[in-house]
Amino acid sequence: MIDSGEDNVRGGGVPSPIRPARLRGPVEFVGRTTELALLRRLVEAPPCLVLLEGEPGIGKSRLVAELLAGLPGRHLVGECDDVPEPFPLGVLLDAVRTGADHLGPLNPVAGALAPLLPELTEVLPAAPAPLTDPAAERHRLLRAVAAVLAALTPAVLVLEDLHWADPATCDLLAYLGSHPVDGLAVLLTARTPAPGGSTPIHEALARTPPWAVTRVPLGALAAGDVRRLAARTLRLDDPPPELTATLLERTAGIPFVVEEVLRTLAERGGDPLADGSVPFVLRDVLLWRLRPLDEATREVLGAASVLGLVPDQRILAAALGQDRAAVRTALTAAHRAGLLHDTGEGLRFRHDLARQVVYDMVPRDTREWLHLRVARVLERERPRPVAQLAHHYRLAGSGADFVRNAEAAADLATERGDDATAAGFLLQTMAVAELPRPVRARLAGKLGRSAIDGLSQAEAIPVLERLLADRRLPPGARGELGLVLGRMLRQQGEALRGYAEIERAVSFLRAPRRRAPALAVLAAPDTVVGRHVDDHLARCAEAEAAAVTSGDPAAHLAVRIARASLLLELGDPAAWAVIAELRASVELAERPREHARACLNWAQGALHAGHLGQAAALLAAGRELVEETGYERLARLVAAAERMPVTLLDARAELATVLARTGDDVTRAERALREVITDARRVGAIWPLVQALSALARLTLAGRPEEAVRHAAEALSLVRGKGIWAWAAEAVLVLAEAAVAAGEPERAARAVADLAAGIQGRDAPVALVALSRCRELLPAGRFIDGVRGVSGM
């Protein structure tokens, strides 16, 4: 089953006076003195959160084992699986189980864990009543884990291989970073992301305060450490420099590979400096260890590599059609050959690198057959391990079975509030070429909904675009997918494209409960160029009619929130009464996610109009709701704006405007404003474009007045096209100042009159202040009557 590759194994060379002793016992721990001391200092002074990271085989687990061996007290240990089932917080719950016997008095919120830890029912408080909001339920679960961990302190919580962690675990660790538990030291290990890439745990920890996480990177072993390891392993008093250089060259200083090569040299005997004696790669080492194994043992070992890092002997026996005794004998032989090691709880591969090498040695056809056999055995498990089934069916090439289980895994993840995991499974199904069109459309709809909340838009957008390009797509599916695509494009910063996609989708959305929220999105005035405020008002009226027809409270609430935002942007004083009514309503109180989102949207509208006090109060309320409900998606949007360009563009415009106002670095401010203008024009995002143009006009007014007038005039033109004159305050003021300075007061008066007429009867404090300053600029007799009549002048 496994190609022995004996012809590729390099010989032991010609014997020489240097004869290393046979290896006895494990390779000794060398190096890492600085890192070990740092880890010990950190965990001995809790609370702390430490991330130990490095490439595969770099020695993260070995360093943690060395640390724990010399560390008294309680150790709570969990390890992530490379193919986990969609079970949130699984690795944390495993760690909690290891300390369950030491639980002290518990906060009642810990009862939220009772359904997940039935074996601890007698220890945990009673489970609380379920919450209607999935995000609030998830946040309560995070607080429950934190409460249990607090009851187990003082302790060291060690979680390994966090690059495989589920999103809920990552959120919990980010929560612990911002809300440390007294007496708890948290030590995490994870692989370093590929250049330009990331992992959920790295993204989660990036959301924590700068002081919250201590990162300890592990690099390759230095030459001195490799030399000491060679001396101890090969029992050489003074290893030649040539040996160290050869080892470094052929192992890249990766400790696991260095150890395996040295183990092999020690077991072979002979001259380690003989030509070709040192294996070139890990594959050579494992091939040498496979040589003495018989075919039956190799067959079992190959199947074990298909099953995973920790092969289950029962599953192996059933998949191979052998009795468990034969499988146990084969695995024991592999253990004696140094291919597996005993953890005390069973045999496992020494490292995922070793498992992958053995897996690659199994012929492709045989691998596919083994994956299929394993899947057929797992089908009989209860509950069905749908994530593992999807994994094995995919690698077996069984598309229909893969899709069936991937969809089940996605549904399970969605049910448990894990949208990111759901999106991951659904994205994989889109790669199956033979999917029937109705199935693909159904799965794409689920993908769209989960990808929005799972922040997987970048991967999902091309999939949805390809589906919508199919003219045979049913109308209902076209409407649903178009709506989802439009929302994603908007969140990715493609304001005009997203808006246009939703406009197209609306005509295909037959159900009023689906049309109403879509029309509510189109009612938002602060998103796109090329749409007048009258269009937004018309869309809002359509949305209200659809919401009434639907009878759906959620649709009705979405429309009312949108209407309040529109009134606020228009400067309609009635907006505040609508907002107050909504915030006092039971409907919004029962939906904390929507409440938080509404407050943040209204805060933005208040800022646009110039209501700074109200904006601050709404922003504070939104933040409080995020904190109380654990609305992770909003927190991720705020903390990881580079993944949500629409958020980033607004933030960039604001930052550049502040830079321009301070005058500390004019060159930097101008460059930043021009970059925002370029990007906002490209995507058709109107508010950051108007803001940046107005700020650039102000910045260039003193030295380049003609250029300033050009920028201000463009901003004013955009505002005319939109019809929301409160946005024109700064542009009109710059135009007035430039025109008066150039001796053209009539030109200034015309722009001021347009602004005055546009905000007549509107609640627009910033525009009113701008008009007041314009009155001071214009010569006596040049102040147009229409301006005098504006409230507050």
Side-chain angles (χ1 to χ4, degrees):
M1 181 166 294
I2 299 177
D3 182 4
S4 66
E6 292 183 14
D7 291 341
N8 296 325
V9 181
R10 292 162 179 82
V14 179
S16 79
I18 303 176
R19 292 182 178 275
R22 292 281 178 170
L23 179 69
R24 296 190 181 94
V27 176
E28 295 186 45
F29 182 82
V30 300
R32 311 299 196 200
T33 305
T34 302
E35 293 89 346
L36 183 60
L38 174 59
L39 291 179
R40 185 171 288 120
R41 185 166 66 252
L42 290 168
V43 301
E44 288 178 348
C48 65
L49 179 56
V50 184
L51 176 63
L52 182 63
E53 57 184 342
E55 63 181 300
I58 206 67
K60 301 181 290 294
S61 297
R62 186 65 183 277
L63 179 57
V64 169
E66 193 72 15
L67 171 71
L68 295 182
L71 202 65
R74 187 174 302 134
H75 306 157
L76 310 173
V77 182
E79 180 181 2
C80 292
D81 192 353
D82 58 337
V83 187
E85 291 300 312
F87 191 84
L89 303 173
V91 64
L92 273 157
L93 298 180
D94 287 343
V96 165
R97 288 185 181 95
T98 65
D101 293 341
H102 305 280
L103 277 172
L106 287 167
N107 185 310
V109 75
L113 288 177
L116 303 180
L117 293 171
E119 67 271 33
L120 301 184
T121 302
E122 296 182 0
V123 180
L124 294 172
L131 299 173
T132 56
D133 190 311
E137 185 77 61
R138 187 168 177 175
H139 184 65
R140 185 168 67 180
L141 194 60
L142 302 186
R143 291 173 53 222
V145 176
V148 171
L149 291 173
L152 289 169
T153 57
V156 178
L157 172 64
V158 177
L159 302 178
E160 294 234 54
D161 294 328
L162 266 295
H163 46 274
W164 289 325
D166 63 276
T169 294
C170 297
D171 288 334
L172 185 279
L173 294 170
Y175 178 84
L176 291 179
S178 302
H179 305 80
V181 174
D182 287 341
L184 181 69
V186 182
L187 176 57
L188 317 174
T189 72
R191 293 178 184 174
T192 305
S198 188
T199 68
I201 185 59
H202 286 87
E203 292 173 5
L205 296 182
R207 304 196 300 265
T208 61
W211 46 262
V213 183
T214 301
R215 288 173 168 79
V216 181
L218 283 186
L221 290 177
D225 294 330
V226 171
R227 183 175 179 276
R228 282 191 292 275
L229 196 55
R232 296 179 185 182
T233 306
L234 303 179
R235 309 294 173 85
L236 298 174
D237 293 332
D238 188 19
E242 297 90 335
L243 177 60
T244 300
T246 302
L247 286 167
L248 277 173
E249 176 190 353
R250 298 185 182 180
T251 66
I254 298 174
F256 173 71
V257 183
V258 174
E259 288 185 8
E260 293 300 292
V261 168
L262 287 171
R263 282 175 178 272
T264 304
L265 286 174
E267 291 166 0
R268 283 179 178 178
D271 182 5
L273 288 178
D275 186 32
S277 177
V278 179
F280 275 82
V281 291
L282 183 59
R283 185 174 186 272
D284 290 343
V285 170
L286 298 181
L287 281 170
W288 187 84
R289 294 189 179 170
L290 282 166
R291 283 195 311 175
L293 301 180
D294 59 30
E295 186 61 32
T297 299
R298 291 182 186 179
E299 181 181 20
V300 172
L301 188 64
S305 73
V306 167
L307 198 55
L309 264 174
V310 187
D312 185 308
Q313 293 185 23
R314 178 178 59 85
I315 302 295
L316 266 180
L320 292 171
Q322 300 182 12
D323 60 67
R324 292 182 63 177
V327 169
R328 190 182 309 112
T329 298
L331 294 179
T332 301
H335 175 223
R336 286 198 300 267
L339 292 158
L340 302 174
H341 78 120
D342 193 347
T343 63
E345 298 180 356
L347 297 175
R348 63 175 291 163
F349 283 94
R350 290 184 54 77
H351 195 279
D352 189 48
L353 289 174
R355 185 204 65 80
Q356 187 63 49
V357 170
V358 173
Y359 180 85
D360 291 340
M361 290 180 190
V362 180
R364 179 175 177 176
D365 290 346
T366 305
R367 286 203 307 261
E368 291 181 353
W369 177 83
L370 285 169
H371 278 296
L372 187 60
R373 292 285 299 172
V374 168
R376 295 301 189 218
V377 172
L378 292 176
E379 286 279 13
R380 300 195 291 265
E381 299 289 300
R382 292 294 180 271
R384 293 172 61 252
V386 286
Q388 294 180 56
L389 284 165
H391 167 76
H392 288 294
Y393 278 129
R394 179 175 61 85
L395 293 175
S398 182
D401 287 321
F402 160 66
V403 170
R404 171 171 56 87
N405 285 281
E407 182 177 11
D411 290 344
L412 186 59
T414 300
E415 179 185 326
R416 292 170 173 170
D418 187 351
D419 295 310
T421 296
F425 280 112
L426 292 165
L427 275 168
Q428 291 182 57
T429 67
M430 294 293 103
V432 178
E434 63 270 21
L435 269 184
R437 188 178 294 106
V439 175
R440 190 180 296 277
R442 184 187 75 241
L443 293 174
K446 291 184 177 183
L447 168 62
R449 291 186 288 275
S450 62
I452 286 177
D453 286 335
L455 299 183
S456 301
Q457 295 98 326
E459 296 88 348
I461 284 172
V463 174
L464 297 177
E465 287 176 330
R466 286 195 297 271
L467 283 168
L468 286 165
D470 184 351
R471 294 183 178 180
R472 294 170 294 178
L473 192 67
R478 185 173 298 280
E480 291 291 339
L481 297 183
L483 173 58
V484 169
L485 176 59
R487 291 178 61 195
M488 286 187 185
L489 286 169
R490 291 178 69 246
Q491 291 182 353
Q492 287 293 305
E494 297 289 339
L496 190 55
R497 281 183 63 204
Y499 195 94
E501 197 67 57
I502 295 174
E503 281 183 320
R504 283 191 290 271
V506 163
S507 61
F508 295 100
L509 293 171
R510 303 303 183 196
R513 68 178 185 83
R514 298 296 293 155
R515 281 177 59 84
L519 288 163
V521 173
L522 298 178
D526 63 330
T527 52
V528 293
V529 297
R531 303 294 189 279
H532 192 272
V533 71
D534 290 344
D535 297 331
H536 298 300
L537 287 166
R539 293 299 193 180
C540 190
E542 290 180 60
E544 289 174 326
V548 171
T549 303
S550 74
D552 182 5
H556 190 56
L557 180 63
V559 172
R560 292 170 67 198
I561 291 172
R563 179 168 182 77
S565 297
L566 179 56
L567 293 176
L568 197 56
E569 294 284 1
L570 282 169
D572 190 325
W576 297 110
V578 176
I579 290 172
E581 179 186 351
L582 279 168
R583 295 205 61 202
S585 69
V586 175
E587 293 87 351
L588 197 58
E590 290 179 344
R591 294 175 173 85
R593 292 176 60 165
E594 294 305 317
H595 195 171
R597 184 177 6 222
C599 284
L600 296 178
N601 287 342
W602 294 333
Q604 184 181 47
L607 280 174
H608 292 171
H611 294 287
L612 302 186
Q614 291 94 325
L618 285 165
L619 186 60
R623 285 175 172 166
E624 184 178 349
L625 284 162
V626 169
E627 179 66 23
E628 287 178 358
T629 65
Y631 186 8
E632 291 87 9
R633 179 167 177 266
L634 275 178
R636 287 200 292 273
L637 297 187
V638 172
E642 71 279 359
R643 299 187 62 191
M644 298 295 291
V646 66
T647 305
L648 184 57
L649 193 57
D650 280 345
R652 286 168 54 201
E654 191 63 38
L655 176 60
T657 302
V658 171
L659 282 172
R661 286 173 181 165
T662 61
D664 293 337
D665 190 338
V666 173
T667 301
R668 180 187 171 198
E670 182 171 345
R671 182 173 63 250
L673 287 168
R674 291 187 185 279
E675 288 173 354
V676 170
I677 289 168
T678 298
D679 290 343
R681 281 177 179 155
R682 176 179 59 81
V683 300
I686 189 168
W687 169 255
L689 182 55
V690 169
Q691 182 181 14
L693 282 168
S694 301
L696 185 58
R698 169 64 61 193
L699 189 66
T700 55
L701 180 60
R704 291 167 286 173
E706 292 182 358
E707 181 181 341
V709 168
R710 189 169 68 252
H711 295 313
E714 182 181 352
L716 191 56
S717 175
L718 288 165
V719 170
R720 282 195 177 97
K722 177 60 69 175
I724 301 180
W725 279 91
W727 294 0
E730 181 67 2
V732 169
L733 186 56
V734 170
L735 280 173
E737 292 178 14
V740 169
E744 301 177 1
E746 293 84 358
R747 181 180 179 184
R750 285 195 297 272
V752 173
D754 286 344
L755 175 62
I759 65 169
Q760 181 72 41
R762 300 293 183 186
D763 184 14
V766 168
L768 287 173
V769 171
L771 283 175
S772 177
R773 293 178 62 183
C774 288
R775 181 176 60 182
E776 298 169 0
L777 288 171
L778 291 173
R782 297 288 187 181
F783 205 62
I784 296 175
D785 291 341
V787 178
R788 297 181 184 279
V790 176
S791 174
M793 296 299 296

